[in-house]
Amino acid sequence: MAVAAPPPEPDFLSLMRDVRPLKPDGRVQHPLPRPRPRPLHHAAHHIHHPGENEHGLFAQMLGWFEPAHIDIEHRSPGMPAHTLKKLKAGHWPVCAELDLHGLDRFEAHEQLALFLHRSRHQGQCVRIIHGKGLSSRGEPVLPKMVRSWLTHHPEVLAFCETRTQHGGSGAVLALLKRPG
């Protein structure tokens, strides 16, 4: 039994050929009222930059995607396996350090993004101290979030936990792409 093909759809112009514009009726169109502005959250270390509306939206969504576990180490696809060994062994000198203690996840994300952007031009290896979350109320958030952000950041090639004397599980070394 053969199935008949559906009839061809008519094009837009043939559908609209009988449409005529409405005659003016004399009504006045009033502009819609503008929404009331919401106050911005101002903290001592809040950085104001273009795209503040997008930042606020992103900050609201950021907490929705909290990872379930903590990655001890990570390397981007295509990176050789020995990259992590070299990173752990201190092959690249640490060119910059960021301490995120006391920040919430939104402040930490903003500071980390800015730090990674600025650090790319100083060297390839950075240390990020997020703490172990021992003073957190409830489950620690920053260790998981920082490592998740690093995993997905386009400039991060690899990361691993630091040695015990440099923070152990409370900090990571991250290897960044070379500038240019």
Side-chain angles (χ1 to χ4, degrees), residues 25 30 35 45 48 73 79 102 118 125 136:
D25 61 0
H30 294 285
H45 48 276
H48 181 76
E73 59 188 31
M79 290 301 298
R118 289 180 176 164
C125 184
S136 298

Side-chain angles (χ1 to χ4, degrees), residues 26-174:
R27 288 189 277 181
V28 177
Q29 294 288 335
H30 294 285
L32 295 175
R34 294 182 65 160
R36 292 175 38 160
R38 294 187 194 117
L40 295 175
H41 171 70
H42 291 287
H45 48 276
H46 180 73
I47 299 171
H48 181 76
H49 50 80
E52 194 67 48
N53 292 338
E54 292 85 6
H55 170 75
L57 178 61
F58 181 69
Q60 290 174 2
M61 293 172 36
L62 200 57
W64 297 351
F65 307 105
E66 191 169 319
H69 68 283
I70 293 180
D71 291 325
I72 294 173
E73 59 188 31
H74 167 80
R75 64 183 165 92
S76 296
M79 290 301 298
H82 69 275
T83 302
L84 285 171
K85 289 179 185 176
K86 289 169 72 173
L87 186 58
K88 291 176 192 175
H91 178 77
W92 293 278
V94 175
C95 67
E97 184 174 275
L98 175 66
D99 189 344
L100 299 172
H101 278 104
L103 302 180
D104 65 27
R105 73 179 76 198
F106 309 113
E107 296 163 335
H109 187 263
E110 185 175 334
Q111 292 295 317
L112 180 61
L114 188 61
F115 172 75
L116 291 174
H117 177 73
R118 289 180 176 164
S119 298
R120 287 181 341 141
H121 303 289
Q122 295 177 7
Q124 271 195 281
C125 184
V126 296
R127 182 180 303 121
I128 300 146
I129 304 165
H130 49 66
K132 297 179 183 180
L134 300 178
S135 62
S136 298
R137 293 182 304 255
E139 187 177 346
V141 173
L142 281 187
K144 286 192 258 184
M145 298 303 291
V146 166
R147 292 161 191 237
S148 175
W149 297 330
L150 292 174
T151 299
H152 297 97
H153 195 283
E155 298 298 322
V156 176
L157 299 174
F159 71 82
C160 65
E161 285 187 354
T162 60
R163 294 181 176 177
T164 306
Q165 65 265 31
H166 295 120
S169 63
V172 292
L173 289 176

